[in-house]
Amino acid sequence: ADAPLGLATHEAEGARRAAHGITDQIDDYLLPRLLDLDAPLLTVVGGSTGAGKSTLVNSLVGAPVTTAGVLRPTTRAPVLVCAPADVPSFSGDRVLPGLARVTGGAGGPGTVQLVVRGDLPAGLAVLDAPDVDSVVESNRELAGQLLAAADLWVFVTTASRYADAVPWDVLRTAQERGTALAVVLDRVPPEASQEVSADLAGMLDRAGLAGARLFVVEERPLVEGRLPEDQVAPLRAWLHALAADSDARAAVVRQTLTGALDSLEQRAAGVAVAIEVQDAAARSLQQAATAAYDMARAGVDEGVRSGSLLRGEVLARWQEFVGTGEWMRSLQSSVGQLRDRITSALTGRPTPADGVQVALEDSVERLLRAEADRAA
């Protein structure tokens, strides 16, 4: 969390995100899960803008528990749905400790809306996350944080967008972290169902994600705002089976937990490399600054020693000073000097000696400023 990544090196921004992601996953997932291996399976439904995540969650639960609509961003705060028996697991700060819990209404920024449903089996919790490609940066960051806290990702994409870059960035992250994953291919034209699903399955296989479960949802009219029962039933049955089978649920948890632990070394090593680059850049900057100001000091010294300060205005004032006899008079008694100063004060006219001093000070100031500006 305190990784020194303040310099604008090429690796800095990515390393800051990586460091933030590591600390979030440790705080939000690894420590809570290791402290309670029997906690309910946290299933995070994530995906791209407009992929149909909220509609899918409502369809899985069988009730309008989260807002689905055409406005973007639709999901401003995550919605977590769990069974009554699992409320203690999610009502405190054990999971997602940085987000306050809200019940009985929509949550605002920095909150999780907790919805309790008796028709959801114990051992399973479903969370509707913000869009991973939301135009709101805080939504994108929160989506990443929620996915890192999941035991199981259900990633939703569509027949028209499954090859986009953003979904595959997220899927690669799942692969790198060993997260248990299911992919829902939504809004598939019935006549192209086999062709499109086979293409996506091949892409998953080539990406090292052959173990991800793939569910296809055909494009059909919604029924009371929810997907047709035959389209959502396979995914619901699979999730409910995981909730009912403690061994199957434990296997999913173990996969994600082991993957997260195994990924820490490589991810932390990347941050360490970025810190080394920062250190080298800091030393280079320090050396450059030291050399520049060493040159500036040498320039000031040279300007003083070479007599260049005594040219121009200083020389003119000096010649005036000598030419008026002030030079000899200044060598006379202190009484004479005092008389000249009193006379100058009464008449308001500076003495030639004052002119020499002012010109010399101006010349020194110009030299110092010029060298300082050049060094800076």
Side-chain angles (χ1 to χ4, degrees):
D2 297 327
L5 295 164
L7 295 178
T9 59
H10 180 69
E11 302 85 356
E13 183 58 33
R16 280 193 287 269
R17 288 197 300 268
H20 187 64
I22 290 169
T23 54
D24 277 349
Q25 192 167 35
I26 290 172
D27 288 340
D28 296 343
Y29 179 68
L30 283 172
L31 292 178
R33 177 49 81 185
L34 287 167
L35 287 169
D36 188 1
L37 290 171
D38 296 323
L41 188 74
L42 179 57
T43 303
V44 173
V45 179
S48 304
T49 301
K53 301 181 300 299
S54 298
T55 300
L56 179 64
V57 170
N58 291 337
S59 303
L60 287 171
V61 176
V65 294
T66 182
T67 303
V70 296
L71 297 180
R72 299 292 173 240
T74 297
T75 307
R76 289 180 174 82
V79 177
L80 192 155
V81 189
C82 69
D86 293 333
V87 170
S89 295
F90 299 107
S91 58
D93 60 358
R94 189 189 67 82
V95 177
L96 301 169
L99 300 175
R101 304 306 192 261
V102 174
T103 57
T111 68
V112 172
Q113 181 185 351
L114 188 61
V115 177
V116 182
R117 294 289 304 183
D119 45 8
L120 196 69
L124 173 69
V126 179
L127 191 149
D128 182 17
D131 302 333
V132 296
D133 58 351
S134 171
V135 295
V136 180
E137 183 178 1
S138 60
N139 274 357
R140 294 196 305 272
E141 293 175 351
L142 180 57
Q145 181 182 355
L146 295 172
L147 288 171
D151 293 306
L152 170 65
W153 288 9
V154 173
F155 192 81
V156 186
T157 187
T158 64
S160 61
R161 299 192 61 184
Y162 69 88
D164 288 359
V166 171
W168 285 98
D169 285 343
V170 176
L171 293 172
R172 273 190 290 272
T173 300
Q175 194 270 339
E176 290 166 1
R177 297 182 184 179
T179 306
L181 176 69
V183 177
V184 175
L185 183 59
D186 195 10
R187 298 175 186 164
V188 182
E191 66 277 9
S193 179
Q194 285 191 336
E195 182 182 358
V196 175
S197 60
D199 186 48
L200 177 55
M203 294 176 70
L204 291 169
D205 187 32
R206 291 189 294 274
L209 290 166
R213 295 290 296 263
L214 177 58
F215 296 90
V216 177
V217 176
E218 294 182 354
E219 189 167 22
R220 304 269 187 84
L222 298 180
V223 180
E224 296 181 353
R226 298 194 288 275
L227 298 169
E229 180 59 25
D230 66 321
Q231 296 300 302
V232 74
L235 176 59
R236 184 195 295 122
W238 180 65
L239 292 174
H240 284 204
L242 287 176
D245 186 340
S246 59
D247 289 339
R249 190 168 68 247
V252 171
V253 169
R254 203 160 44 242
Q255 176 186 336
T256 302
L257 189 58
T258 302
L261 287 168
D262 288 346
S263 74
L264 285 182
E265 182 175 2
Q266 182 178 358
R267 292 159 66 195
V271 176
V273 168
I275 291 172
E276 290 173 356
V277 172
Q278 292 266 311
D279 187 51
R283 287 198 304 271
S284 177
L285 285 172
Q286 189 172 30
Q287 290 167 2
T290 300
Y293 283 95
D294 282 347
M295 288 179 63
R297 284 192 292 272
V300 172
D301 187 59
E302 173 63 21
V304 173
R305 291 179 182 276
S306 68
S308 62
L309 288 180
L310 304 180
R311 297 175 190 145
E313 183 70 14
V314 177
L315 181 59
R317 294 301 180 188
W318 173 256
Q319 289 172 341
E320 179 185 344
F321 179 58
V322 175
T324 57
E326 287 291 331
W327 168 246
M328 292 303 298
R329 238 179 286 163
S330 67
L331 300 178
Q332 293 172 357
S333 67
S334 58
V335 175
Q337 294 178 32
L338 180 60
R339 182 186 64 243
D340 291 341
R341 290 181 179 175
I342 293 173
T343 301
S344 175
L346 292 174
T347 61
R349 294 192 302 271
T351 66
D354 293 333
V356 173
Q357 181 174 340
V358 170
L360 186 58
E361 288 174 354
D362 286 346
S363 185
V364 171
E365 180 183 353
R366 284 196 299 273
L367 175 64
L368 289 172
R369 285 184 179 276
E371 292 294 341
D373 288 345
R374 184 169 63 83

